[in-house]
Amino acid sequence: DKLSRYVAAAGEQYHLDMGEFIYRDYDSWRDLFDRQAMAAGRRLKVLTRLDDYVRTWFRSDRARKVLEYNMVFLGGSPENTPAMYSMMSHIDLNLGVWYPMGGIGAVVEAIQRLAEAAGARFRFGCPVRRIVVEGSRVTGVATDDGTIPAEVVVANADYRHVEMELLEPQHRQYGERYWSSRVIGPSSFVAYVGIEGRVEQLAHHTLFLEAHWMTHFNSLY
């Protein structure tokens, strides 16, 4: 019963976040102080840590882990992530986890087909070495195959890499001093291991959670 109430509260958090905040642009701090944002913001749990929030609901160590483990996918720890991310439990337990037929790669291939049908061209195996800027405007990307002209460049690589490796110093928003003072969310290493036959002790999707919970998270940072 308590878990049901917790997940229901997580659902309210999810709909608040998605409806009021996620799809809005915040170009300056003033955008946070409009009437709509302030009214909704009072209900957001941004000043409470997730671990503290979950502890107000559950004494069980196992229950807390079930409700906090997905913070690792956000590159965070329950001790440094706002409680508003309790909405992840709603996503997991109410909305469910969906498996695309053909695997995750099938989603990538489908996006490529749609883009190509709309006229997009893809270049693979073509490392970008530099984003070319002339004056205050981006004019292209320098690659191993030459410079590709562009009016707009969208980079989805790691933010620090784009700033420090692909842009000249005068065009960077942040320098090395800024990045050296930041705690960067860790990436993950995933190994897919094929096993012939069935392992009776394991379900299709089995998670093993570290016994020493916070020690585990702290070691990542």
Side-chain angles (χ1 to χ4, degrees):
D1 290 341
K2 189 182 294 185
L3 178 62
S4 296
R5 295 196 303 273
Y6 178 91
V7 174
E12 295 175 2
Q13 190 76 39
Y14 171 85
H15 291 296
L16 176 63
D17 293 336
M18 300 300 288
E20 302 291 346
F21 291 96
I22 296 298
Y23 293 111
R24 293 182 61 189
D25 291 329
Y26 297 93
D27 297 321
S28 82
W29 60 267
R30 294 182 181 88
D31 294 333
L32 296 172
F33 290 93
D34 68 23
R35 184 176 301 175
Q36 183 180 6
M38 292 181 68
R42 292 169 54 190
R43 292 147 58 196
L44 287 175
K45 301 175 178 64
V46 295
L47 300 180
T48 303
R49 298 182 305 179
L50 179 66
D51 188 59
D52 293 334
Y53 175 68
V54 173
R55 286 176 181 274
T56 65
W57 287 80
F58 299 96
R59 290 192 300 268
S60 164
D61 180 66
R62 181 178 296 179
R64 292 199 301 267
K65 290 177 179 178
V66 168
L67 299 172
E68 293 179 350
Y69 81 91
N70 41 34
M71 291 306 102
V72 75
F73 300 117
L74 300 180
S77 160
E79 284 192 332
N80 65 18
T81 303
M84 63 178 286
Y85 284 102
S86 63
M87 67 176 181
M88 296 296 292
S89 294
H90 166 72
I91 295 171
D92 269 355
L93 302 175
N94 283 343
L95 300 183
V97 179
W98 295 79
Y99 177 80
M101 297 305 296
I104 296 296
V107 178
V108 179
E109 292 166 358
I111 293 173
Q112 181 183 346
R113 288 195 301 272
L114 286 171
E116 288 176 334
R121 289 181 298 150
F122 288 79
R123 298 193 186 191
F124 300 106
C126 182
V128 173
R129 302 303 179 187
R130 183 167 57 92
I131 296 175
V132 181
V133 181
E134 297 181 6
S136 60
R137 294 185 61 84
V138 170
T139 60
V141 288
T143 75
D144 287 351
D145 296 336
T147 298
I148 302 172
E151 295 181 358
V152 176
V153 172
V154 178
N156 75 334
D158 180 74
Y159 194 173
R160 183 192 183 283
H161 170 73
V162 173
E163 289 258 275
M164 302 302 295
E165 306 297 333
L166 301 183
L167 287 171
E168 299 291 342
Q170 65 270 27
H171 302 305
R172 296 170 186 165
Q173 184 171 1
Y174 303 108
E176 185 58 47
R177 182 175 180 182
Y178 171 87
W179 289 110
S180 63
S181 68
R182 302 287 125 175
V183 176
I184 307 299
S187 299
S188 62
F189 176 80
V190 180
Y192 290 95
V193 181
I195 299 174
E196 184 176 351
R198 178 185 296 271
V199 181
E200 296 296 339
Q201 296 89 337
L202 300 181
H204 176 270
H205 199 87
T206 301
L207 295 174
F208 296 90
L209 304 179
E210 175 66 48
H212 303 288
W213 195 233
M214 289 308 169
T215 301
H216 165 68
F217 276 105
N218 292 336
S219 68
L220 296 177
Y221 292 95

